[in-house]
Amino acid sequence: MVEVLVAIVILSIGVLGAVGMQAAAMKSSREVRSQAIAGSLARDLAEKMRGNHIVAIQTTTAANPYLLDATLPPGTTVSAPANNCYSGACSTGLDVARWDAYEWRLRVRDALPSPRVRICMDSDPFDSAGLPKWNCTNTGNVAVLKLSWNRTNTLGVTEFTSAAATLPMLVLPLTAGSSQ
């Protein structure tokens, strides 16, 4: 009888370990999925900017709608530009850029959990320790995408949030090209 109880205890410990590993694998899988989605969204925006490089090389937010700073929790309303490029004609590159930025923000909001995104001209996106930073120098001729989203650890505690105090999880240069 004692041998059976000992065997059951040992089996229970093994099963609990396997369940814990499965939970950790599911969390890791979710995080890898978010990272893949973020990379895909960044690549998509880079292509839009290269396709509209005359606007994308501008260094001010008034002249370049691709430059933005937003936190997009679920349900956030993203204001649509005046010209809808799907149902109407966008006659200028600026109109196309406004529509691209609007549509991209919607996709980011819907694809990642509470994302924070900042796109700015930044000649130094990392601090002296090599860590990414949200602040931008607003210098240089390369737009940099900085992106973060909420994620939880295996205990269900939020580790990285889209709050300003955390570091960007993804930092990518978005080279629009040149004015040539």
Side-chain angles (χ1 to χ4, degrees), residues 120-145:
C120 57
M121 297 298 183
D122 195 356
S123 60
D124 188 21
F126 300 96
D127 65 15
S128 60
L131 297 173
K133 59 183 179 179
W134 286 110
N135 294 334
C136 296
T137 61
N138 294 320
T139 60
N141 58 359
V142 175
V144 176
L145 166 69

Side-chain angles (χ1 to χ4, degrees), residues 50-129:
R50 278 191 280 280
N52 194 359
H53 69 279
I54 299 299
V55 173
I57 61 173
Q58 302 303 313
T59 58
T60 64
T61 55
N64 185 350
Y66 296 114
L67 302 178
L68 59 99
D69 187 1
T71 301
L72 304 165
T76 299
T77 301
V78 178
S79 57
N83 293 338
N84 181 331
C85 292
Y86 286 141
S87 63
C90 287
S91 58
T92 67
L94 191 58
D95 288 340
V96 171
R98 286 182 184 125
W99 182 258
D100 285 347
Y102 161 73
E103 182 187 43
W104 188 80
R105 282 193 309 264
L106 290 177
R107 291 178 55 213
V108 169
R109 179 199 65 191
D110 295 341
L112 295 171
S114 298
R116 177 172 185 217
V117 61
R118 184 162 202 185
I119 303 169
C120 57
M121 297 298 183
D122 195 356
S123 60
D124 188 21
F126 300 96
D127 65 15
S128 60

Side-chain angles (χ1 to χ4, degrees), residues 10-90:
I10 292 172
L11 181 64
S12 298
I13 291 171
V15 168
L16 287 175
V19 168
M21 287 179 57
Q22 180 66 24
M26 288 175 61
K27 293 278 185 183
S28 295
S29 175
R30 188 176 305 128
E31 181 58 26
V32 167
R33 180 179 168 273
S34 292
Q35 289 174 358
I37 288 170
S40 177
L41 288 167
R43 191 173 36 258
D44 180 57
L45 182 64
E47 291 300 320
K48 289 178 184 298
M49 291 173 71
R50 278 191 280 280
N52 194 359
H53 69 279
I54 299 299
V55 173
I57 61 173
Q58 302 303 313
T59 58
T60 64
T61 55
N64 185 350
Y66 296 114
L67 302 178
L68 59 99
D69 187 1
T71 301
L72 304 165
T76 299
T77 301
V78 178
S79 57
N83 293 338
N84 181 331
C85 292
Y86 286 141
S87 63
C90 287

